[in-house]
């Protein structure tokens, strides 16, 4: 069976793709859905003076608004109907995951299989509506409080803005679910991916313009290109790296025959937390600067101004805080999404065991020990990838757009999508082989 799978994988080519009609339909559906999303990022909210808003946004582009604008594909800079993006849904998902660890009823739902998962997804949707409403209202109040941005301020503007922004987020959530079900890849991840990639040409042109004007030398630009390729290679290697724990199952007797026990592996990813740690760390660090920007720096006390200046990009305090938060959230989120005790209980339930380790509590302790060690490597990897663009920005003033969190998302989503496409092609070729064998069998019977 393994050799057959390898042979099929080696035969994945354009001819196989051209015959996979179902896969082509899924890809076209995905592209069409992403095109709808991109069009929505250019439809501005009603009642906004875009010129005044653009001027105000430029003052906050280095704060948390700039990060949200990256994830929203430029919709925040244009104050479009998709300005909230899909971030409320991601935040609600994380909050629900946190609650499943502390609320027994939700923890039981998590163990109830498909039916429990549907209930948890429904709670996540309710949380998305709540978070989106709060954020949309805050945006509406902030826009109305800024001089000259809103053409007709008042209750109607607040109401229409909240409805439009919340509706945009809920539409994106629905669109992402449709891509997952009827398209290819994870819909939510692809929406974020398309938003980041959409701004890539502008970042490249900006870098080349710096080279043309002499702000960046040609060797520096070449070094950036080589470094980017190297970072992509590191991300691909680490994201696919696993620590596999050998799992054995005892021998079993069926009638008078004794069957050899099976063996399998428990895969532990080197970076179990994914991109959540840098997202959380960036949000928390940029939040004070954003609040200070809205509050006007001249109204702040001296100590607050000193702290804010120390938390600016390239400052030692910012670098140290960013790295420390990434490490903390890497361990915190890994502990949240992977429970060694539950895994050990499942192995014991199915009579599986790790050679040399007693089932039950000792197995849970061993899995936790191994997971902690590989999380150290995963956290160090995240710090390296995310701190690299900070050093480049501080040292050379390089607009290293695809760095840190954005580069992690782009590469991870690309790997997942390519893996799903390959899975569909392998399944299609298996179906073709089964049909051929049935036809041959039918001819022999005749």
């Amino acid at each position: 069976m393994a050799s057959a799978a390898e042979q099929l994988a080696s035969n994945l080519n354009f001819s196989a793709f051209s015959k996979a009609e179902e896969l082509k339909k899924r890809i076209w559906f995905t592209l069409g859905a992403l095109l709808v999303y991109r069009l929505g990022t250019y439809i501005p909210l009603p009642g906004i003076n875009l010129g005044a808003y653009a001027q105000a946004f430029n003052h906050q582009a280095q704060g948390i608004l700039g990060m949200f604008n990256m994830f929203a594909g430029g919709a925040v800079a244009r104050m479009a109907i998709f300005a909230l993006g899909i971030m409320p849904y991601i935040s609600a998902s994380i909050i629900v995951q946190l609650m499943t660890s502390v609320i027994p009823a939700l923890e039981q739902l998590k163990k109830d299989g498909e039916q429990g998962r549907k209930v948890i997804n429904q709670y996540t949707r309710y949380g998305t509506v709540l978070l989106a409403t709060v954020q949309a209202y805050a945006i509406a109040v902030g826009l109305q409080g800024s001089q000259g941005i809103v053409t007709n301020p008042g209750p109607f503007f607040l109401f229409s803005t909240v409805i439009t922004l919340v509706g945009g987020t809920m539409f994106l959530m629905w669109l992402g679910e449709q891509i997952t079900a009827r398209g290819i890849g994870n819909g939510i991840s692809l929406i974020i991916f398309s938003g980041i990639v959409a701004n890539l040409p502008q970042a490249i042109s900006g870098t080349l313009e710096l080279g043309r004007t002499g702000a960046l030398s040609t060797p520096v630009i070449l070094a950036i290109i080589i470094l980017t390729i190297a970072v992509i290679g590191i991300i691909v290697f680490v994201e696919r790296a696993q620590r596999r724990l050998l799992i054995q199952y005892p021998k079993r007797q069926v009638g008078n025959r004794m069957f050899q026990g099976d063996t399998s592996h428990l895969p532990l990813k080197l970076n179990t937390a994914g991109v959540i740690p840098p997202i959380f760390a960036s949000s928390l660090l940029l939040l004070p600067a954003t609040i200070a920007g809205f509050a006007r720096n001249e109204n702040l006390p001296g100590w607050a101004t000193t702290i804010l200046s120390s938390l600016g990009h390239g400052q030692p305090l910012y670098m140290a805080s960013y790295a420390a938060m990434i490490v903390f959230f890497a361990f915190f989120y890994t502990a949240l999404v992977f429970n060694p005790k539950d895994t050990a209980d499942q192995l014991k339930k199915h009579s599986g065991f790790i050679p040399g380790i007693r089932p039950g509590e000792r197995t849970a302790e061993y899995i936790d020990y191994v997971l902690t060690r590989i999380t150290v490597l995963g956290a160090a990897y995240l710090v390296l990838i995310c701190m690299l663009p900070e050093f480049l920005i501080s040292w050379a003033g390089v607009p290293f757009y695809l760095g840190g969190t954005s580069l992690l998302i782009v590469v991870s989503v690309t790997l997942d999508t390519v893996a799903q496409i390959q899975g569909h092609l392998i399944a299609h070729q298996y179906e073709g082989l089964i049909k051929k064998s049935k036809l041959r069998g039918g001819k022999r019977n005749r």
Side-chain angles (χ1 to χ4, degrees), residues 84-85 87-89 91-92 124-142 157-170:
L84 281 181
M87 293 305 291
Y89 177 77
S91 301
T124 304
R125 294 187 184 99
Y126 295 149
T128 302
V129 174
L130 178 61
L131 289 177
T133 302
V134 173
Q135 294 178 13
Y137 181 75
I139 290 175
V141 172
F157 171 78
L158 295 176
F159 177 78
S160 62
T161 300
V162 170
I163 292 297
T164 303
L165 291 177
V166 173
T169 295
M170 299 311 294

mmCIF file of all heavy atoms in Angstrom, residues 84-85 87-89 91-92 124-142 157-170:
data_model
loop_
_atom_site.group_PDB
_atom_site.id
_atom_site.type_symbol
_atom_site.label_atom_id
_atom_site.label_comp_id
_atom_site.label_asym_id
_atom_site.label_seq_id
_atom_site.Cartn_x
_atom_site.Cartn_y
_atom_site.Cartn_z
ATOM 1 N N LEU A 84 -13.089 45.573 9.548
ATOM 2 C CA LEU A 84 -12.856 44.712 10.707
ATOM 3 C C LEU A 84 -12.200 43.400 10.307
ATOM 4 O O LEU A 84 -11.574 42.730 11.137
ATOM 5 C CB LEU A 84 -14.181 44.421 11.434
ATOM 6 C CG LEU A 84 -14.718 45.523 12.350
ATOM 7 C CD1 LEU A 84 -16.005 45.061 13.013
ATOM 8 C CD2 LEU A 84 -13.708 45.908 13.397
ATOM 9 N N GLY A 85 -12.369 43.021 9.049
ATOM 10 C CA GLY A 85 -11.771 41.780 8.576
ATOM 11 C C GLY A 85 -12.329 40.566 9.294
ATOM 12 O O GLY A 85 -13.469 40.546 9.761
ATOM 13 N N MET A 87 -10.658 39.261 11.943
ATOM 14 C CA MET A 87 -10.019 39.203 13.249
ATOM 15 C C MET A 87 -10.998 38.986 14.402
ATOM 16 O O MET A 87 -10.663 38.270 15.355
ATOM 17 C CB MET A 87 -9.200 40.472 13.478
ATOM 18 C CG MET A 87 -8.001 40.609 12.551
ATOM 19 S SD MET A 87 -6.894 39.184 12.589
ATOM 20 C CE MET A 87 -6.218 39.339 14.235
ATOM 21 N N PRO A 88 -12.226 39.560 14.400
ATOM 22 C CA PRO A 88 -13.164 39.240 15.489
ATOM 23 C C PRO A 88 -13.480 37.756 15.595
ATOM 24 O O PRO A 88 -13.625 37.220 16.699
ATOM 25 C CB PRO A 88 -14.409 40.058 15.128
ATOM 26 C CG PRO A 88 -13.901 41.192 14.321
ATOM 27 C CD PRO A 88 -12.762 40.632 13.531
ATOM 28 N N TYR A 89 -13.567 37.076 14.452
ATOM 29 C CA TYR A 89 -13.833 35.642 14.466
ATOM 30 C C TYR A 89 -12.650 34.880 15.063
ATOM 31 O O TYR A 89 -12.839 33.951 15.866
ATOM 32 C CB TYR A 89 -14.108 35.150 13.050
ATOM 33 C CG TYR A 89 -14.315 33.652 12.948
ATOM 34 C CD1 TYR A 89 -15.512 33.071 13.324
ATOM 35 C CD2 TYR A 89 -13.291 32.829 12.487
ATOM 36 C CE1 TYR A 89 -15.696 31.700 13.246
ATOM 37 C CE2 TYR A 89 -13.461 31.467 12.394
ATOM 38 C CZ TYR A 89 -14.666 30.902 12.768
ATOM 39 O OH TYR A 89 -14.832 29.551 12.700
ATOM 40 N N SER A 91 -10.440 36.098 17.187
ATOM 41 C CA SER A 91 -10.415 36.406 18.622
ATOM 42 C C SER A 91 -11.465 35.595 19.372
ATOM 43 O O SER A 91 -11.206 35.062 20.454
ATOM 44 C CB SER A 91 -10.642 37.907 18.838
ATOM 45 O OG SER A 91 -9.659 38.673 18.186
ATOM 46 N N ALA A 92 -12.672 35.501 18.798
ATOM 47 C CA ALA A 92 -13.733 34.721 19.436
ATOM 48 C C ALA A 92 -13.365 33.245 19.519
ATOM 49 O O ALA A 92 -13.636 32.582 20.526
ATOM 50 C CB ALA A 92 -15.042 34.901 18.665
ATOM 51 N N THR A 124 -18.990 30.233 19.032
ATOM 52 C CA THR A 124 -17.960 31.086 18.429
ATOM 53 C C THR A 124 -18.586 32.149 17.541
ATOM 54 O O THR A 124 -18.141 33.310 17.534
ATOM 55 C CB THR A 124 -16.984 30.227 17.602
ATOM 56 O OG1 THR A 124 -16.418 29.203 18.431
ATOM 57 C CG2 THR A 124 -15.865 31.081 17.033
ATOM 58 N N ARG A 125 -19.635 31.791 16.806
ATOM 59 C CA ARG A 125 -20.324 32.781 15.962
ATOM 60 C C ARG A 125 -20.976 33.868 16.818
ATOM 61 O O ARG A 125 -20.919 35.060 16.484
ATOM 62 C CB ARG A 125 -21.365 32.084 15.094
ATOM 63 C CG ARG A 125 -20.774 31.127 14.058
ATOM 64 C CD ARG A 125 -21.856 30.611 13.131
ATOM 65 N NE ARG A 125 -21.332 29.632 12.189
ATOM 66 C CZ ARG A 125 -21.434 28.328 12.342
ATOM 67 N NH1 ARG A 125 -22.051 27.836 13.415
ATOM 68 N NH2 ARG A 125 -20.931 27.499 11.451
ATOM 69 N N TYR A 126 -21.616 33.461 17.913
ATOM 70 C CA TYR A 126 -22.212 34.458 18.807
ATOM 71 C C TYR A 126 -21.141 35.391 19.362
ATOM 72 O O TYR A 126 -21.343 36.616 19.441
ATOM 73 C CB TYR A 126 -22.940 33.765 19.970
ATOM 74 C CG TYR A 126 -24.138 32.952 19.550
ATOM 75 C CD1 TYR A 126 -24.513 31.811 20.259
ATOM 76 C CD2 TYR A 126 -24.911 33.316 18.453
ATOM 77 C CE1 TYR A 126 -25.619 31.056 19.887
ATOM 78 C CE2 TYR A 126 -26.014 32.574 18.070
ATOM 79 C CZ TYR A 126 -26.366 31.441 18.790
ATOM 80 O OH TYR A 126 -27.450 30.699 18.407
ATOM 81 N N GLY A 127 -19.995 34.816 19.753
ATOM 82 C CA GLY A 127 -18.901 35.645 20.250
ATOM 83 C C GLY A 127 -18.369 36.586 19.192
ATOM 84 O O GLY A 127 -17.980 37.721 19.492
ATOM 85 N N THR A 128 -18.353 36.125 17.936
ATOM 86 C CA THR A 128 -17.901 36.985 16.840
ATOM 87 C C THR A 128 -18.805 38.194 16.684
ATOM 88 O O THR A 128 -18.335 39.329 16.522
ATOM 89 C CB THR A 128 -17.872 36.189 15.522
ATOM 90 O OG1 THR A 128 -17.014 35.056 15.674
ATOM 91 C CG2 THR A 128 -17.364 37.051 14.381
ATOM 92 N N VAL A 129 -20.127 37.973 16.749
ATOM 93 C CA VAL A 129 -21.075 39.087 16.641
ATOM 94 C C VAL A 129 -20.853 40.079 17.774
ATOM 95 O O VAL A 129 -20.836 41.311 17.563
ATOM 96 C CB VAL A 129 -22.520 38.558 16.653
ATOM 97 C CG1 VAL A 129 -23.514 39.718 16.693
ATOM 98 C CG2 VAL A 129 -22.786 37.688 15.431
ATOM 99 N N LEU A 130 -20.670 39.574 18.989
ATOM 100 C CA LEU A 130 -20.477 40.459 20.142
ATOM 101 C C LEU A 130 -19.201 41.278 20.005
ATOM 102 O O LEU A 130 -19.217 42.509 20.167
ATOM 103 C CB LEU A 130 -20.438 39.619 21.420
ATOM 104 C CG LEU A 130 -20.204 40.391 22.722
ATOM 105 C CD1 LEU A 130 -21.331 41.400 22.943
ATOM 106 C CD2 LEU A 130 -20.100 39.439 23.903
ATOM 107 N N LEU A 131 -18.079 40.614 19.698
ATOM 108 C CA LEU A 131 -16.810 41.332 19.561
ATOM 109 C C LEU A 131 -16.840 42.318 18.401
ATOM 110 O O LEU A 131 -16.346 43.448 18.517
ATOM 111 C CB LEU A 131 -15.673 40.333 19.359
ATOM 112 C CG LEU A 131 -15.267 39.484 20.562
ATOM 113 C CD1 LEU A 131 -14.181 38.491 20.173
ATOM 114 C CD2 LEU A 131 -14.785 40.361 21.707
ATOM 115 N N ALA A 132 -17.421 41.897 17.273
ATOM 116 C CA ALA A 132 -17.488 42.784 16.114
ATOM 117 C C ALA A 132 -18.336 44.012 16.421
ATOM 118 O O ALA A 132 -18.010 45.125 15.984
ATOM 119 C CB ALA A 132 -18.058 42.036 14.913
ATOM 120 N N THR A 133 -19.423 43.826 17.176
ATOM 121 C CA THR A 133 -20.285 44.964 17.523
ATOM 122 C C THR A 133 -19.544 45.963 18.397
ATOM 123 O O THR A 133 -19.608 47.184 18.173
ATOM 124 C CB THR A 133 -21.551 44.466 18.249
ATOM 125 O OG1 THR A 133 -22.253 43.541 17.400
ATOM 126 C CG2 THR A 133 -22.468 45.624 18.595
ATOM 127 N N VAL A 134 -18.824 45.454 19.406
ATOM 128 C CA VAL A 134 -18.061 46.348 20.289
ATOM 129 C C VAL A 134 -16.988 47.091 19.497
ATOM 130 O O VAL A 134 -16.822 48.314 19.631
ATOM 131 C CB VAL A 134 -17.436 45.535 21.441
ATOM 132 C CG1 VAL A 134 -16.488 46.413 22.265
ATOM 133 C CG2 VAL A 134 -18.522 44.948 22.333
ATOM 134 N N GLN A 135 -16.238 46.372 18.658
ATOM 135 C CA GLN A 135 -15.180 47.016 17.886
ATOM 136 C C GLN A 135 -15.737 48.002 16.863
ATOM 137 O O GLN A 135 -15.166 49.081 16.652
ATOM 138 C CB GLN A 135 -14.338 45.943 17.188
ATOM 139 C CG GLN A 135 -13.562 45.070 18.143
ATOM 140 C CD GLN A 135 -12.767 43.979 17.426
ATOM 141 O OE1 GLN A 135 -12.609 44.010 16.214
ATOM 142 N NE2 GLN A 135 -12.273 43.005 18.173
ATOM 143 N N ALA A 136 -16.841 47.631 16.228
ATOM 144 C CA ALA A 136 -17.446 48.542 15.242
ATOM 145 C C ALA A 136 -17.943 49.819 15.899
ATOM 146 O O ALA A 136 -17.780 50.920 15.341
ATOM 147 C CB ALA A 136 -18.593 47.829 14.519
ATOM 148 N N TYR A 137 -18.534 49.693 17.084
ATOM 149 C CA TYR A 137 -19.022 50.888 17.795
ATOM 150 C C TYR A 137 -17.849 51.784 18.194
ATOM 151 O O TYR A 137 -17.927 53.018 18.079
ATOM 152 C CB TYR A 137 -19.817 50.476 19.025
ATOM 153 C CG TYR A 137 -20.371 51.652 19.799
ATOM 154 C CD1 TYR A 137 -21.475 52.357 19.324
ATOM 155 C CD2 TYR A 137 -19.776 52.067 20.987
ATOM 156 C CE1 TYR A 137 -21.983 53.444 20.026
ATOM 157 C CE2 TYR A 137 -20.270 53.145 21.695
ATOM 158 C CZ TYR A 137 -21.368 53.836 21.201
ATOM 159 O OH TYR A 137 -21.865 54.916 21.896
ATOM 160 N N ALA A 138 -16.744 51.152 18.646
ATOM 161 C CA ALA A 138 -15.567 51.941 19.012
ATOM 162 C C ALA A 138 -15.005 52.675 17.792
ATOM 163 O O ALA A 138 -14.603 53.845 17.886
ATOM 164 C CB ALA A 138 -14.501 51.026 19.613
ATOM 165 N N ILE A 139 -14.985 52.002 16.640
ATOM 166 C CA ILE A 139 -14.515 52.645 15.413
ATOM 167 C C ILE A 139 -15.426 53.796 15.026
ATOM 168 O O ILE A 139 -14.962 54.892 14.658
ATOM 169 C CB ILE A 139 -14.432 51.611 14.272
ATOM 170 C CG1 ILE A 139 -13.283 50.642 14.527
ATOM 171 C CG2 ILE A 139 -14.236 52.308 12.913
ATOM 172 C CD1 ILE A 139 -13.202 49.519 13.522
ATOM 173 N N ALA A 140 -16.735 53.586 15.114
ATOM 174 C CA ALA A 140 -17.694 54.633 14.738
ATOM 175 C C ALA A 140 -17.547 55.852 15.638
ATOM 176 O O ALA A 140 -17.552 57.000 15.165
ATOM 177 C CB ALA A 140 -19.116 54.081 14.805
ATOM 178 N N VAL A 141 -17.401 55.627 16.937
ATOM 179 C CA VAL A 141 -17.231 56.744 17.874
ATOM 180 C C VAL A 141 -15.913 57.465 17.608
ATOM 181 O O VAL A 141 -15.839 58.701 17.632
ATOM 182 C CB VAL A 141 -17.293 56.228 19.324
ATOM 183 C CG1 VAL A 141 -16.912 57.343 20.306
ATOM 184 C CG2 VAL A 141 -18.688 55.707 19.651
ATOM 185 N N GLY A 142 -14.847 56.675 17.348
ATOM 186 C CA GLY A 142 -13.559 57.298 17.062
ATOM 187 C C GLY A 142 -13.581 58.129 15.790
ATOM 188 O O GLY A 142 -13.020 59.220 15.742
ATOM 189 N N PHE A 157 -25.299 57.850 11.722
ATOM 190 C CA PHE A 157 -23.973 57.418 11.279
ATOM 191 C C PHE A 157 -23.452 56.291 12.157
ATOM 192 O O PHE A 157 -22.899 55.306 11.650
ATOM 193 C CB PHE A 157 -22.990 58.593 11.306
ATOM 194 C CG PHE A 157 -21.561 58.191 11.074
ATOM 195 C CD1 PHE A 157 -21.100 57.922 9.792
ATOM 196 C CD2 PHE A 157 -20.681 58.040 12.145
ATOM 197 C CE1 PHE A 157 -19.797 57.523 9.568
ATOM 198 C CE2 PHE A 157 -19.375 57.642 11.925
ATOM 199 C CZ PHE A 157 -18.924 57.387 10.642
ATOM 200 N N LEU A 158 -23.625 56.416 13.477
ATOM 201 C CA LEU A 158 -23.183 55.358 14.385
ATOM 202 C C LEU A 158 -23.879 54.045 14.073
ATOM 203 O O LEU A 158 -23.241 52.985 13.987
ATOM 204 C CB LEU A 158 -23.445 55.770 15.839
ATOM 205 C CG LEU A 158 -22.659 56.968 16.376
ATOM 206 C CD1 LEU A 158 -23.114 57.308 17.790
ATOM 207 C CD2 LEU A 158 -21.166 56.679 16.366
ATOM 208 N N PHE A 159 -25.197 54.113 13.892
ATOM 209 C CA PHE A 159 -25.968 52.898 13.634
ATOM 210 C C PHE A 159 -25.573 52.251 12.310
ATOM 211 O O PHE A 159 -25.309 51.041 12.237
ATOM 212 C CB PHE A 159 -27.463 53.237 13.636
ATOM 213 C CG PHE A 159 -28.337 52.057 13.312
ATOM 214 C CD1 PHE A 159 -28.606 51.086 14.263
ATOM 215 C CD2 PHE A 159 -28.898 51.919 12.045
ATOM 216 C CE1 PHE A 159 -29.404 49.999 13.965
ATOM 217 C CE2 PHE A 159 -29.702 50.843 11.729
ATOM 218 C CZ PHE A 159 -29.958 49.880 12.702
ATOM 219 N N SER A 160 -25.487 53.061 11.257
ATOM 220 C CA SER A 160 -25.167 52.510 9.935
ATOM 221 C C SER A 160 -23.746 51.948 9.895
ATOM 222 O O SER A 160 -23.494 50.910 9.267
ATOM 223 C CB SER A 160 -25.335 53.586 8.861
ATOM 224 O OG SER A 160 -24.438 54.666 9.082
ATOM 225 N N THR A 161 -22.800 52.596 10.580
ATOM 226 C CA THR A 161 -21.426 52.106 10.591
ATOM 227 C C THR A 161 -21.314 50.777 11.320
ATOM 228 O O THR A 161 -20.645 49.845 10.848
ATOM 229 C CB THR A 161 -20.500 53.143 11.243
ATOM 230 O OG1 THR A 161 -20.562 54.364 10.498
ATOM 231 C CG2 THR A 161 -19.058 52.648 11.275
ATOM 232 N N VAL A 162 -21.978 50.680 12.473
ATOM 233 C CA VAL A 162 -21.941 49.427 13.238
ATOM 234 C C VAL A 162 -22.561 48.291 12.431
ATOM 235 O O VAL A 162 -21.995 47.191 12.324
ATOM 236 C CB VAL A 162 -22.656 49.594 14.593
ATOM 237 C CG1 VAL A 162 -22.828 48.240 15.275
ATOM 238 C CG2 VAL A 162 -21.874 50.532 15.490
ATOM 239 N N ILE A 163 -23.718 48.538 11.827
ATOM 240 C CA ILE A 163 -24.385 47.500 11.041
ATOM 241 C C ILE A 163 -23.529 47.071 9.859
ATOM 242 O O ILE A 163 -23.392 45.877 9.550
ATOM 243 C CB ILE A 163 -25.758 48.000 10.553
ATOM 244 C CG1 ILE A 163 -26.717 48.176 11.730
ATOM 245 C CG2 ILE A 163 -26.358 47.031 9.537
ATOM 246 C CD1 ILE A 163 -27.041 46.903 12.461
ATOM 247 N N THR A 164 -22.917 48.044 9.186
ATOM 248 C CA THR A 164 -22.111 47.731 7.999
ATOM 249 C C THR A 164 -20.873 46.934 8.353
ATOM 250 O O THR A 164 -20.558 45.918 7.709
ATOM 251 C CB THR A 164 -21.701 49.032 7.281
ATOM 252 O OG1 THR A 164 -22.876 49.774 6.945
ATOM 253 C CG2 THR A 164 -20.924 48.718 6.015
ATOM 254 N N LEU A 165 -20.154 47.359 9.393
ATOM 255 C CA LEU A 165 -18.920 46.668 9.763
ATOM 256 C C LEU A 165 -19.193 45.270 10.312
ATOM 257 O O LEU A 165 -18.479 44.309 9.983
ATOM 258 C CB LEU A 165 -18.143 47.494 10.789
ATOM 259 C CG LEU A 165 -17.530 48.800 10.266
ATOM 260 C CD1 LEU A 165 -16.849 49.565 11.402
ATOM 261 C CD2 LEU A 165 -16.530 48.515 9.150
ATOM 262 N N VAL A 166 -20.214 45.145 11.161
ATOM 263 C CA VAL A 166 -20.557 43.821 11.697
ATOM 264 C C VAL A 166 -21.038 42.908 10.572
ATOM 265 O O VAL A 166 -20.669 41.728 10.499
ATOM 266 C CB VAL A 166 -21.628 43.940 12.800
ATOM 267 C CG1 VAL A 166 -22.106 42.555 13.241
ATOM 268 C CG2 VAL A 166 -21.076 44.695 13.995
ATOM 269 N N GLY A 167 -21.849 43.457 9.672
ATOM 270 C CA GLY A 167 -22.297 42.664 8.531
ATOM 271 C C GLY A 167 -21.150 42.222 7.653
ATOM 272 O O GLY A 167 -21.135 41.090 7.145
ATOM 273 N N GLY A 168 -20.145 43.084 7.472
ATOM 274 C CA GLY A 168 -18.974 42.711 6.679
ATOM 275 C C GLY A 168 -18.198 41.568 7.314
ATOM 276 O O GLY A 168 -17.778 40.624 6.620
ATOM 277 N N THR A 169 -18.020 41.630 8.634
ATOM 278 C CA THR A 169 -17.311 40.543 9.323
ATOM 279 C C THR A 169 -18.073 39.230 9.243
ATOM 280 O O THR A 169 -17.487 38.162 8.993
ATOM 281 C CB THR A 169 -17.073 40.921 10.794
ATOM 282 O OG1 THR A 169 -16.188 42.041 10.855
ATOM 283 C CG2 THR A 169 -16.464 39.764 11.570
ATOM 284 N N MET A 170 -19.401 39.284 9.450
ATOM 285 C CA MET A 170 -20.198 38.057 9.397
ATOM 286 C C MET A 170 -20.213 37.474 7.979
ATOM 287 O O MET A 170 -20.216 36.254 7.793
ATOM 288 C CB MET A 170 -21.626 38.331 9.863
ATOM 289 C CG MET A 170 -21.729 38.834 11.303
ATOM 290 S SD MET A 170 -20.794 37.822 12.479
ATOM 291 C CE MET A 170 -21.695 36.283 12.380
#
